[in-house]
Amino acid sequence: MKSHEEARRDLVRQWVAKAEKDFDLSRHLVSEGCFYREAIAFSAQQAAEKFLKAFLISHQIDFPKTHNLGELLDLVARIDAALAEHLRDATALNPYGVEYRYPGDFPELTQEDAEAALGLAQKVRAALIPQLARFLAEPQAPE
């Protein structure tokens, strides 16, 4: 049976792996000049959300079932207020996680919007991956 620490490491890795897939998809679509800008923005929001959730799990902080990055950042602030404040502009991704997925009266996203969404996801990723490094590194075998 896995220890609590091993289980937490595995869960953090799973969330980061999912976040990386979303991030890579968004980055790939932007690099292709893809017309599917809503998909780019949605994947960027999902990546940011999953990186934040991985960070919270790494600190054993429970979070609600939410796509609201502001709520997640409020929880991050309990651990590191400066980090949460640094990432606060990522809340601009919130509409792409829910509203833009369904029909509604929303403006068409431009390529600049899609690239900005990717940039915000990159900012979250760049800030959190170093924080998660000890969970992502291969465990050392006992000598």
Side-chain angles (χ1 to χ4, degrees), residues 88-105:
R88 191 62 63 179
D89 55 345
T91 59
L93 295 170
N94 278 346
Y96 307 136
V98 179
E99 286 91 355
Y100 271 84
R101 292 178 56 205
Y102 302 102
D105 190 19

Side-chain angles (χ1 to χ4, degrees), residues 19-27 47 51 118 121-122 125:
E20 289 287 1
K21 285 180 183 179
D22 288 328
F23 181 76
D24 287 346
L25 174 60
S26 191
R27 183 171 49 191
F51 283 124
L118 176 60
Q122 171 59 35
R125 181 181 183 272

Side-chain angles (χ1 to χ4, degrees), residues 55-56 59 73-88 127-128 131:
F55 179 79
L56 292 169
H59 287 277
L73 286 166
D74 289 346
L75 295 171
V76 169
R78 295 181 188 174
I79 303 158
D80 186 335
L83 176 63
E85 188 56 35
H86 172 68
L87 298 177
R88 191 62 63 179
L128 296 183
Q131 301 276 339

Side-chain angles (χ1 to χ4, degrees), residues 14-97:
Q14 289 171 27
W15 277 94
V16 168
K18 291 280 191 183
E20 289 287 1
K21 285 180 183 179
D22 288 328
F23 181 76
D24 287 346
L25 174 60
S26 191
R27 183 171 49 191
H28 172 74
L29 292 174
V30 164
S31 74
E32 295 291 317
C34 182
F35 175 74
Y36 302 106
R37 296 179 195 112
E38 286 84 4
I40 294 168
F42 174 72
S43 295
Q45 187 281 337
Q46 287 291 290
E49 178 183 327
K50 291 169 185 162
F51 283 124
L52 288 168
K53 288 178 176 179
F55 179 79
L56 292 169
I57 290 166
S58 76
H59 287 277
Q60 301 180 57
I61 302 293
D62 291 331
F63 50 84
K65 191 171 190 172
T66 185
H67 299 293
N68 185 316
L69 301 182
E71 286 182 43
L72 298 173
L73 286 166
D74 289 346
L75 295 171
V76 169
R78 295 181 188 174
I79 303 158
D80 186 335
L83 176 63
E85 188 56 35
H86 172 68
L87 298 177
R88 191 62 63 179
D89 55 345
T91 59
L93 295 170
N94 278 346
Y96 307 136

